[in-house]
Amino acid sequence: MQIQVVKSKIHRVKCTGAELNYIGSITIDEDLMEAANIIQGEKVQIVNNDNGERLETYCIPGPRNTGEITLNGAAARKVAVGDTLILITYAFMDIEEAKVFKPSLVFPDEATNLLK
């Protein structure tokens, strides 16, 4: 049997942009992606702490050391610049593997979104 577990999480980052006229996705500072073990194109769940919205999209890397967190396309309607977000990815794994698996949890600076 396989179960789905949290693979990685970027906890409490500020939304820095909302670009409606874009194909789709979320742009994430590449340093944050690497720290959280998230790859380009990976499905990510976005939880908006300010309005309760939850949505899924795929991620694309943004410029390093900028703290960029931009929702693109239709997802831009679900956030406002400055909203506090949690970004989560999941993985399927065997239940025995899941019992010992340790997710990549990242807690950036809440004011700048940069790694501490």
Side-chain angles (χ1 to χ4, degrees):
M1 174 185 353
Q2 289 205 323
I3 62 171
Q4 192 173 23
V5 298
V6 172
K7 179 182 99 34
S8 53
K9 178 168 82 166
I10 302 174
H11 191 72
R12 296 185 60 85
V13 287
K14 298 289 184 196
C15 177
T16 62
E19 298 294 332
L20 183 61
N21 295 314
Y22 194 88
I23 295 171
S25 70
I26 181 171
T27 304
I28 303 172
D29 178 322
E30 194 166 5
D31 287 339
L32 293 174
M33 287 178 61
E34 284 182 1
N37 195 27
I38 298 171
I39 63 168
Q40 181 173 345
E42 187 169 355
K43 181 177 170 180
V44 63
Q45 180 182 46
I46 298 121
V47 179
N48 188 326
N49 281 6
D50 290 302
N51 65 17
E53 290 282 354
R54 286 179 172 257
L55 62 115
E56 294 177 340
T57 190
Y58 63 94
C59 58
I60 58 174
R64 291 182 180 278
N65 200 35
T66 61
E68 181 177 0
I69 303 290
T70 300
L71 275 292
N72 302 305
R77 295 195 183 276
K78 303 289 187 179
V79 298
V81 171
D83 282 357
T84 300
L85 309 176
I86 299 171
L87 312 178
I88 309 165
T89 66
Y90 300 89
F92 287 99
M93 59 186 69
D94 178 81
I95 194 162
E96 292 305 316
E97 180 185 6
K99 288 178 181 179
V100 297
F101 178 76
K102 301 291 184 222
S104 299
L105 307 176
V106 178
F107 300 88
D109 182 284
E110 290 188 36
T112 65
N113 292 346
L114 299 177
L115 296 172
K116 296 179 183 178

